[in-house]
Amino acid sequence: MIANRTLELLSLLQAQKEWTGDGLAERLGVSPRTVRRDINRLRELGYPVTARKGPSGFYRLSRGARLPPLIVDDEQAIAIALALQTAPASVTGMGDATKRALNSIKELLPPHLARRLATFSIEQIENAWELAPPQVDPALLAQLSAAAQQRELVRFAYRSIDRGPVEDDEVLAEPHRLVVWSGRWYLVAYDQRRNSWHTYRLDRIGQLAPTAWRFGPREVPEADITRFVQSQPDRGDTADTWPCWGTVLMECPATLVAKWAPGAASFEAIDERITRIRMGAWSWSALIGFLVTFNCRFTVEGPPELAEAARQVIGRLDVGVPLPDERAPEPVSSVRAGT
């Protein structure tokens, strides 16, 4: 009973910045004296709870010098254990720490929770389409996160998707936010030299250096960060990831391409209805198969192998099942195989 009340008290202190003693007593259904005892119990466990006496007195959970014992309920414990088993390894050097954290939780679980967790037999299988995300340095994450919070300009070298390491661009950026999408890390930032917003893949950032220069607040052009990141053209894998790469002109707005194209694709809007897409796959036929799922006409720009694969796929699909009135059915999508 005391342990449950202590957990509930901790949850209340975490949910609201300040509480009066009477307010906590009312929420917990106990006396103010019992609240004071429970506050002292939290302090003994390592939680830094500060207090101010008097008519304007309050209790507040402050930041401590060390990590106190973690108190979670049953559902939270199971959720943490499952997340540690299934989280993608997108940060270098974290594998051992993840295993140690999972073992620590398993050792502390009461018998009924340990039995419950054991019922989850998890086997992760690699998806051939989704490439393993490139890992990033945790030090880079920490530097960029701190720069974003402190509004400090950063300078770094950036390798775009079509450039080699000797052709890196130097960027002077205002870091705004870190985003994870499909296991890949992105920095949303304002480029001061180009006077525009961009996303930068963290695995392509090098030679990061602080500048000690501050910048003021600036509104991101898209209120929806997800839509903004997905709409950026330079988001895909390097050209040597897939064995077959091709480029097509798709009769489809870039907004739809951004929503449905995989992370291994780059694209640019030609006009309001035409989008150039460059993407890769494990075979030319597989690449055509994915492009057909857009249900839009497209023209192959290159290479010739992709155009030939389009002709072969069209030939295999042209089975011609007549309708009762002997008219041929409308195709789901059509392809113009250019060279």
Side-chain angles (χ1 to χ4, degrees):
M1 179 68 179
I2 294 177
N4 291 338
R5 193 175 65 237
T6 302
L7 176 59
E8 186 177 357
L9 173 60
L10 178 59
S11 298
L12 291 173
L13 290 170
Q14 291 173 331
Q16 184 172 305
K17 185 177 181 180
E18 295 177 357
W19 286 90
T20 64
D22 291 340
L24 288 173
E26 182 180 352
R27 289 293 297 269
L28 296 172
V30 297
S31 67
R33 183 178 180 181
T34 301
V35 169
R36 289 195 292 272
R37 286 201 302 264
D38 289 346
I39 290 291
N40 289 331
R41 186 174 294 109
L42 283 177
R43 289 168 176 162
E44 292 172 358
L45 290 172
Y47 290 93
V49 182
T50 59
R52 176 186 292 175
K53 297 181 180 179
S56 60
F58 61 80
Y59 290 105
R60 175 190 293 169
L61 183 63
S62 305
R63 297 180 184 233
R66 64 185 180 88
L67 181 67
L70 185 63
I71 299 179
V72 297
D73 58 29
D74 288 6
E75 297 301 323
Q76 290 173 325
I78 293 295
I80 293 172
L82 290 177
L84 289 172
Q85 293 181 67
T86 58
S90 60
V91 181
T92 57
M94 299 298 288
D96 183 61
T98 300
K99 292 178 182 178
R100 287 188 288 108
L102 179 60
N103 289 334
S104 297
I105 290 177
K106 286 182 175 179
E107 290 175 1
L108 296 175
L109 288 178
H112 73 283
L113 280 185
R115 290 192 297 270
R116 183 178 172 189
L117 183 60
T119 61
F120 293 94
S121 180
I122 300 173
E123 184 73 26
Q124 291 202 71
I125 300 176
E126 181 181 354
N127 187 341
W129 180 258
E130 292 293 338
L131 298 176
Q135 295 188 332
V136 300
D137 188 345
L140 179 64
L141 287 175
Q143 286 180 281
L144 288 173
S145 179
Q149 292 179 20
Q150 298 168 10
R151 291 181 181 168
E152 180 181 359
L153 278 170
V154 292
R155 180 182 286 109
F156 54 83
Y158 189 72
R159 175 175 51 85
S160 65
I161 189 172
D162 294 321
R163 298 189 176 187
V166 297
E167 298 181 271
D168 289 1
D169 292 326
E170 185 177 82
V171 178
L172 183 64
E174 302 173 7
H176 175 72
R177 190 180 302 180
L178 292 174
V179 178
V180 182
W181 178 31
S182 296
R184 293 173 173 83
W185 289 85
Y186 299 84
L187 171 68
V188 178
Y190 184 83
D191 189 322
Q192 285 203 341
R193 289 174 176 160
R194 290 191 284 177
N195 296 320
S196 54
W197 285 92
H198 300 274
T199 59
Y200 300 95
R201 281 267 297 270
L202 264 63
D203 56 293
R204 299 190 188 128
I205 290 178
Q207 305 173 33
L208 177 67
T211 64
W213 300 334
R214 304 293 180 179
F215 60 89
R218 193 188 297 272
E219 290 293 329
V220 183
E222 286 274 2
D224 186 347
I225 288 292
T226 298
R227 186 168 60 183
F228 177 73
V229 173
Q230 291 180 340
S231 67
Q232 298 302 294
D234 189 9
R235 63 177 191 174
D237 298 299
T238 55
D240 59 354
T241 306
W242 295 109
C244 301
W245 277 80
T247 305
V248 303
L249 288 176
M250 180 78 70
E251 295 182 11
C252 182
T255 53
L256 291 180
V257 173
K259 184 176 181 180
W260 299 113
S266 61
F267 59 91
E268 62 174 322
I270 304 302
D271 55 35
E272 293 183 353
R273 67 182 189 89
I274 302 295
T275 304
R276 175 177 284 111
I277 306 175
R278 183 174 185 270
M279 62 176 295
W282 57 88
S283 71
W284 298 114
S285 296
L287 184 49
I288 291 295
F290 183 83
L291 292 168
V292 168
T293 62
F294 278 93
N295 198 24
C296 299
R297 296 176 65 88
F298 62 85
T299 301
V300 177
E301 288 194 327
E305 291 85 352
L306 183 60
E308 179 58 29
R311 297 187 187 95
Q312 293 179 6
V313 169
I314 292 172
R316 289 196 295 268
L317 295 177
D318 189 15
V319 294
V321 180
L323 295 176
D325 60 0
E326 297 184 353
R327 289 181 300 164
E330 290 291 328
V332 174
S333 62
S334 58
V335 179
R336 290 195 299 271
T339 55

